[in-house]
Structures are given as structure tokens and as C-alpha cells.
Amino acid sequence: MKASIRNKDSTSWGVLMQWQDKDQHNHEWAMPLSLLQGDAREYRQILADLGLDIAPSRKARDLLTAYIQTYNSDRRALSVNKTGWHDDSYVLPHHIIGANPKEPIVLQTST
């Protein structure tokens, strides 16, 4: 986990996740915490599609969900849900132009 994220209204909370896949490629995803509700299958499918190995047992899946859901960090990032201008920064799908080092901006989508 890299940071806890939320929007300007302090809603739409999530976590900024970072990992390496089997080919040592870096991945980063701003995951909405709302995906952890219900059976949480959707977020695991997205993570698997992005190359994260998840143990197949139910206990392992439950532990992963609990870890993400209770993760807390002093590091915060501002989440936005669309590309374009956000204050003095321009948000692209994989790059932020004019990023603020004190409060990074991340694009948070459900996929």
C-alpha cells in the first residue's frame, strides 16, 4: 500500500496500491474501498487481471480483504474520478502534469 486516498469532500475513500507482477513490471491502482463490500470478488478479479498473485484459499482471500480494509496510512493522496484539469494539475490516465508533492493526485476508477 502506498497511501490512503479520498476526494476533496473527504468521501470516496480508497487505497493506492502498488506491486510487481511475475515479469517484475510495476503496477499501481487507486482502488475504491467500496469494492470491498459484499463478497469483494470484483476487486480480486481486477487485481488478478493486473498481475497480482492471490492465494486461492478462502482464508487467504479474507485476510487480504481485511488487510486492505483496515489499512491506514499517514500518507494521503487526492483522488479524482476523471481526467482533465483539477486545480493546477492536469490528470491523464497514467500521468499527472503539475503534481503537488505535498498531496499527490491519483485517478481513481473502479477498474
Side-chain angles (χ1 to χ4, degrees):
M1 303 297 172
K2 197 171 173 182
S4 293
I5 58 176
R6 75 281 183 256
N7 67 16
K8 282 185 174 183
D9 298 326
S10 197
T11 61
S12 300
W13 280 84
V15 292
L16 184 57
M17 303 174 73
Q18 187 176 42
W19 68 94
Q20 285 187 336
D21 63 23
K22 292 176 185 177
D23 292 332
Q24 306 306 309
H25 293 122
N26 292 324
H27 294 270
E28 189 173 277
W29 181 37
M31 185 189 82
L33 287 177
S34 61
L35 290 179
L36 298 179
Q37 303 309 306
D39 68 5
R41 179 181 300 153
E42 184 180 359
Y43 94 91
R44 291 191 308 271
Q45 289 172 333
I46 294 168
L47 288 173
D49 190 49
L50 292 172
L52 182 68
D53 284 330
I54 301 171
S57 74
R58 180 181 179 103
K59 181 178 180 180
R61 291 191 313 259
D62 289 346
L63 287 170
L64 176 62
T65 299
Y67 172 73
I68 294 169
Q69 196 158 18
T70 59
Y71 173 77
N72 190 17
S73 171
D74 292 338
R75 293 186 299 192
R76 297 284 191 262
L78 181 65
S79 65
V80 296
N81 63 2
K82 61 183 178 182
T83 58
W85 284 104
H86 297 275
D87 294 328
D88 294 334
S89 300
Y90 193 79
V91 177
L92 297 166
H94 301 288
H95 185 69
I96 311 297
I97 300 170
N100 178 349
K102 290 184 179 182
E103 184 174 50
I105 295 177
V106 296
L107 182 62
Q108 181 183 18
T109 63
S110 59
T111 57

